[in-house]
Amino acid sequence: MYRPRLLIDGDTLRLEEILQVARNEAIVQLTPESEACVRASRDLVDRVAAGDTPAYGINTGFGTLAEVRIDKKDLRELQRNLILSHAAGVGTPMPLPEARALLLLRCNVLAKGFSGIRLETLQLALDMLNRDVVPVVPERGSVGASGDLAPLAHLALVFIGEGEAFFQGQRMPARQALERAGLKPVVLEAKEGLALVNGTQAMCAVGTLLQLRAESLATIADIAGSMTLEGLLGSHKPFIPEIQEVRPHEGQKACAAHLLTLLAGSDLVETHVNCSKVQDPYSLRCMPQVHGAAREGFAFARRILEVEVNSATDNPLVFVEGNRIVSGGNFHGQPISLAMDVTAMALTQLSSISERRVEQLVNPALSNLPPFLAKNSGLNSGFMIAQVTSAALVAESRVLCHPASVDSIPSSAGREDHVSMGMTAALKGRQVADFTRTCLAIEILVASQALDFRLPVKAGRGPRAAHELVRSRVPTMEKDREIHRDIEAVCELIDSGELLRVVRAATA
């Protein structure tokens, strides 16, 4: 399979490029300028290591042991011990796409030339990425203090031939994976272990893939809402530009414009021009306001991530121009933690309003359609429990929206006395994204049944295309069947990107 080349320099990596590498769809290389920066940074570290002046992490211990001097003969062992001792992660390994993203992001930070790593060590990381050697990194164990210490230590284990890795998707001992890929482990020199474990790359890896998924789900939410609106014979008027311009939030305006694009060409809207209903329920009428607010939250999170993935998050940082190695706090994950909490809350709003639209569809007192959209209701229960499942997922999402970013458990004998819980925020955000996707799949499935009852009158181009795609995989429910299979089929249409492609093509 052909894979295009992606050049990284530590400054210009885009979120979409991270996704490309996470899917193993690109070859990653350093720019010549980055190579020069890495070499210069390493030269300074070597000079400091050869001297007698204490420098944190180079010839001292770590954390609260920073005042302990280390003999020059023990500097290699110091770096190896750091990796071994910090590899204390537990739980399920990060999925391969997230682990690839983690490896890429660490390479990108090292490429900036503020870490003091040797070029050959960084090149091993790039070779691992390009030859599909992906470290096994447990998800849990980071409090986002000196960044993601435990996850990054598990990543670094593979560099020294320890731990485990996936090679071409198969899990095995790291040394064996490296050998199969034609690679050899390295012996870490002064500061290199510290250069590999300080930083926010684990929370950013999970967060970046979550962010891109959340943005996609915002579009899916508009599609689902447009299908429900048409199925319930709702009004298009709340989405006109004049309403949005007098409350000009960018997310609201974008959502309303998208809804009008989706609904264009509707014959259904003509069937109720002179109906007696004055206003639709909020879950229909206020889609621009609610979906739009979620979009604003995602925009905030994107801005934070775009800065963070191209930031130097090591400690200490190596400044060649000033001939200084300085301790600071760029590893603290607070910006990412807050951004991921916002993303989780925004996603939950999308699922919450979606569940209310499903209730509008299945409740005959609200829809003027058969109870639970069942044919021969009573004998058949139709989509009664689909709404219950959606409600259950929304309820759990609300629990997961408790912010991790306001929490802190001091660690490292009080030296790390305020921590970000950034990885926690990213992991629970990922779970909320799963739930939101399923809630939207349920709405799309139920709305498709409502649109069946409106045939042969056609919905707008967007909901019509979505409806036709769903029906190519999931038949109309004529009598009760296992609904979970139908939900899974629509989830696959969302996850594969096929739903988005089909609807975009129909509304272009």
Side-chain angles (χ1 to χ4, degrees):
M1 180 185 71
Y2 169 74
R3 292 187 292 171
R5 184 177 63 161
L6 171 63
L7 291 175
I8 60 170
D9 57 11
D11 296 319
T12 57
L13 186 63
R14 297 186 298 111
L15 302 190
E16 288 75 13
E17 291 172 333
I18 298 171
L19 178 61
Q20 188 180 18
V21 174
R23 292 172 172 170
N24 201 22
E25 295 173 351
I27 297 290
V28 184
Q29 296 178 351
L30 290 178
T31 65
E33 294 79 7
S34 289
E35 290 186 9
C37 289
V38 170
R39 286 195 181 96
S41 175
R42 183 64 209 179
D43 288 345
L44 178 54
V45 169
D46 285 339
R47 292 197 300 273
V48 171
D52 296 321
T53 303
Y56 174 73
I58 296 177
N59 51 22
T60 74
F62 308 103
T64 50
L65 302 176
E67 281 69 42
V68 178
R69 286 295 304 274
I70 308 298
D71 289 341
K72 291 178 184 178
K73 64 181 178 62
D74 296 325
L75 294 186
R76 284 183 173 179
E77 185 177 359
L78 173 69
Q79 300 304 312
R80 179 180 175 84
N81 287 346
L82 173 68
I83 302 303
L84 296 174
S85 66
H86 283 50
V90 297
T92 305
M94 293 174 69
L96 282 171
E98 290 180 355
R100 285 195 193 96
L102 169 57
L103 186 53
L104 168 67
L105 289 172
R106 197 63 217 160
C107 290
N108 194 55
V109 168
L110 298 173
K112 291 182 75 68
F114 295 107
S115 303
I117 201 157
R118 291 177 300 157
L119 186 59
E120 50 263 47
T121 305
L122 176 52
Q123 188 58 54
L124 173 61
L126 291 167
D127 289 341
M128 287 166 52
L129 193 58
N130 293 332
R131 300 185 195 185
D132 204 17
V133 177
V134 184
V136 173
V137 180
E139 289 184 346
R140 301 253 176 344
S142 171
V143 296
S146 289
D148 297 309
L149 291 172
L152 286 168
H154 282 273
L155 188 84
L157 280 176
V158 181
F159 290 53
I160 61 175
E162 303 293 343
E164 292 183 291
F166 295 97
F167 176 61
Q168 297 180 349
Q170 182 181 353
R171 186 171 177 173
M172 61 188 70
R175 195 170 292 271
Q176 182 182 350
L178 290 171
E179 184 178 342
R180 288 197 183 185
L183 301 172
K184 294 181 180 180
V186 295
V187 176
L188 298 177
E189 299 289 350
K191 196 188 181 296
E192 287 198 292
L194 194 58
L196 292 172
V197 302
N198 259 187
T200 59
Q201 285 68 55
M203 65 182 83
C204 282
V206 178
T208 295
L209 301 191
L210 166 61
Q211 171 68 24
L212 295 172
R213 192 180 186 196
E215 291 173 356
S216 174
L217 289 173
T219 306
I220 295 292
D222 294 348
I223 295 169
S226 72
M227 295 176 74
T228 299
L229 184 88
E230 292 282 74
L232 292 172
L233 304 181
S235 174
H236 299 187
K237 291 178 182 178
F239 315 136
I240 63 173
E242 293 89 336
I243 292 177
Q244 323 318 320
E245 288 299 335
V246 294
R247 195 196 193 195
H249 293 295
E250 292 301 321
Q252 177 176 330
K253 291 196 295 182
C255 174
H258 186 222
L259 286 168
L260 287 178
T261 298
L262 292 168
L263 294 165
S266 171
D267 293 333
L268 276 171
V269 73
E270 302 300 328
T271 66
H272 55 95
V273 171
N274 297 314
C275 70
S276 59
K277 187 164 59 173
V278 177
Q279 292 182 330
D280 290 324
Y282 289 0
S283 59
L284 300 179
R285 194 186 348 152
C286 298
M287 281 191 283
Q289 290 75 19
V290 177
H291 293 195
R295 287 174 182 245
E296 298 281 2
F298 300 149
F300 162 72
R302 171 176 275 271
R303 181 175 62 82
I304 296 295
L305 283 164
E306 286 175 337
V307 171
E308 189 73 9
V309 300
N310 289 299
S311 295
T313 56
D314 289 23
N315 184 53
L317 289 167
V318 179
F319 295 100
V320 174
E321 289 188 4
N323 202 40
R324 294 188 301 168
I325 299 178
V326 185
S327 290
N330 279 1
F331 48 66
H332 201 293
Q334 200 66 45
I336 305 305
S337 185
L338 179 60
M340 294 302 95
D341 278 342
V342 169
T343 294
M345 288 186 280
L347 283 166
T348 299
Q349 287 303 313
L350 294 180
S351 63
S352 176
I353 195 171
S354 172
E355 183 276 329
R356 287 294 80 200
R357 291 193 296 261
V358 172
E359 170 66 12
Q360 293 287 330
L361 287 164
V362 300
N363 188 332
L366 303 173
S367 68
N368 292 318
L369 290 167
F372 307 108
L373 302 183
K375 297 185 177 182
N376 196 6
S377 57
L379 177 62
N380 293 303
S381 295
F383 291 94
M384 178 189 296
I385 306 303
Q387 181 269 328
V388 174
T389 298
S390 183
L393 297 180
V394 170
E396 189 167 348
S397 294
R398 288 170 177 163
V399 172
L400 290 169
C401 279
H402 173 80
S405 57
V406 300
D407 200 0
S408 179
I409 299 178
S411 58
S412 193
R415 181 64 62 95
E416 298 167 3
D417 59 346
H418 183 280
V419 302
S420 72
M421 299 298 177
M423 188 64 165
T424 304
L427 289 172
K428 66 187 183 67
R430 182 223 283 162
Q431 183 63 75
V432 171
D434 283 343
F435 291 160
T436 301
R437 180 276 320 270
T438 304
C439 287
L440 294 173
I442 289 171
E443 182 182 1
I444 289 167
L445 180 66
V446 178
S448 293
Q449 186 83 356
L451 289 172
D452 288 337
F453 283 107
R454 303 302 184 190
L455 291 173
V457 184
K458 294 181 178 180
R461 286 193 289 268
R464 188 191 319 162
H467 179 220
E468 290 171 354
L469 177 62
V470 171
R471 284 291 168 256
S472 72
R473 309 295 171 84
V474 180
T476 301
M477 183 182 285
E478 301 291 346
K479 60 181 182 179
D480 285 347
R481 59 177 183 246
E482 296 178 56
I483 293 180
H484 70 95
R485 300 184 190 277
D486 297 348
I487 296 171
E488 290 165 5
V490 180
C491 285
E492 173 57 27
L493 291 176
I494 294 173
D495 290 342
S496 67
E498 187 172 1
L499 180 66
L500 270 180
R501 288 193 297 272
V502 166
V503 172
R504 282 172 173 163
T507 56

